[in-house]
Amino acid sequence: MNHLATENISFNVLKHDLVPEHHLLSEEEAGRVLSELGITCDQLPKIKNNDAGIRVLETIHGPIAEGRVVRIVRKSETAQEFVAYRLVTKG
């Protein structure tokens, strides 16, 4: 994460221990993931563009358009890591 871009945020939720990692996928990465999962982007769970995690990502990547895909990586005691994908929608 670009630390200079996030210095102006009063509280960066992505640095909190209980908040999973958020990564904005490129269009190519998103297409590859959807193909591997055998689904369309409309079938993904949604995340609103006013979500605190998305707002932090916007300080790094600029405005995030509706329809972009975010990878969320959660730490798990049983699986070590659990990866989920969310479709950005209007909030």
Side-chain angles (χ1 to χ4, degrees), residues 7-36:
E7 282 180 4
N8 294 331
I9 298 173
S10 60
F11 178 71
N12 182 346
V13 296
L14 298 182
K15 291 188 178 203
H16 193 282
D17 291 342
L18 297 177
V19 177
E21 297 174 23
H22 288 58
H23 304 277
L24 181 65
L25 299 185
S26 69
E27 298 293 332
E28 296 79 24
E29 289 171 315
R32 205 169 26 253
V33 165
L34 293 172
S35 178
E36 288 173 7

Side-chain angles (χ1 to χ4, degrees), residues 4-86:
L4 295 176
T6 58
E7 282 180 4
N8 294 331
I9 298 173
S10 60
F11 178 71
N12 182 346
V13 296
L14 298 182
K15 291 188 178 203
H16 193 282
D17 291 342
L18 297 177
V19 177
E21 297 174 23
H22 288 58
H23 304 277
L24 181 65
L25 299 185
S26 69
E27 298 293 332
E28 296 79 24
E29 289 171 315
R32 205 169 26 253
V33 165
L34 293 172
S35 178
E36 288 173 7
L37 295 174
I39 62 173
T40 65
C41 63
D42 293 338
Q43 294 173 298
L44 287 173
K46 313 300 186 258
I47 187 169
K48 294 187 177 191
N49 63 359
N50 63 0
D51 181 271
I54 298 300
R55 290 180 27 219
V56 171
L57 287 178
E58 286 182 330
T59 66
I60 299 164
H61 301 284
I64 297 175
E66 230 182 322
R68 296 292 303 269
V69 177
V70 175
R71 176 178 42 242
I72 299 174
V73 182
R74 290 183 172 87
K75 303 298 179 201
S76 164
E77 289 183 22
T78 55
Q80 294 182 354
E81 261 187 10
F82 175 75
V83 177
Y85 298 93
R86 299 286 182 267

